[in-house]
Amino acid sequence: MTKYTVTELVEKCIARDLNAQRYIFDTYSSRLLGVIIRYFNELEDAEDVLVDSFHLILTRMDSYSGNEDERVLFGWMRKICVNQSLTRIRRDKARN
């Protein structure tokens, strides 16, 4: 697996480079699932939110305005995951 700098990773994801997208998923998905699972009782619900979150992360990568620090990128992705989790909880609550 190729190692990218944050800038390279962001640029390649914006360009829809599948290898970069796979790299970002493989690198961060387990940590982000750990964030999301705190909001849900069922792993399946958390995994659904993870997929939705990665869709947003990859399609909105052009809005990432952080720096070269990998922690900033993770924080940006974490915020998307938390917001997606809260949106899902509100949506499910409204249905019941």
Side-chain angles (χ1 to χ4, degrees), residues 1-2 4 9 12-13 16-29 54 58:
M1 187 181 308
T2 304
Y4 298 97
L9 187 59
K12 288 183 180 291
C13 284
R16 307 276 191 246
D17 181 299
L18 294 179
N19 290 326
Q21 291 176 342
R22 184 175 298 114
Y23 177 84
I24 202 167
F25 182 83
D26 291 345
T27 302
Y28 297 103
S29 62
F54 264 101
L58 295 174

Side-chain angles (χ1 to χ4, degrees), residues 15-62:
R16 307 276 191 246
D17 181 299
L18 294 179
N19 290 326
Q21 291 176 342
R22 184 175 298 114
Y23 177 84
I24 202 167
F25 182 83
D26 291 345
T27 302
Y28 297 103
S29 62
S30 63
R31 289 171 50 198
L32 292 172
L33 183 61
V35 170
I36 296 167
I37 195 76
R38 295 176 189 157
Y39 293 89
F40 298 96
N41 295 325
E42 300 292 329
L43 179 61
E44 184 176 318
D45 292 334
E47 289 172 338
D48 288 346
V49 172
L50 180 68
V51 170
D52 293 342
S53 297
F54 264 101
H55 177 261
L56 283 177
I57 288 166
L58 295 174
T59 58
R60 295 186 180 168
M61 191 62 77
D62 59 339

Side-chain angles (χ1 to χ4, degrees), residues 62-92:
D62 59 339
S63 69
Y64 174 72
S65 59
N67 58 23
E68 191 63 31
D69 189 342
E70 188 175 350
R71 293 172 297 181
V72 176
L73 177 61
F74 178 76
W76 178 77
M77 292 188 293
R78 182 182 182 280
K79 184 175 181 179
I80 290 172
C81 291
V82 168
N83 288 340
Q84 283 297 110
S85 297
L86 296 174
T87 297
R88 172 75 175 262
I89 290 167
R90 284 190 295 268
R91 187 187 77 205
D92 289 351

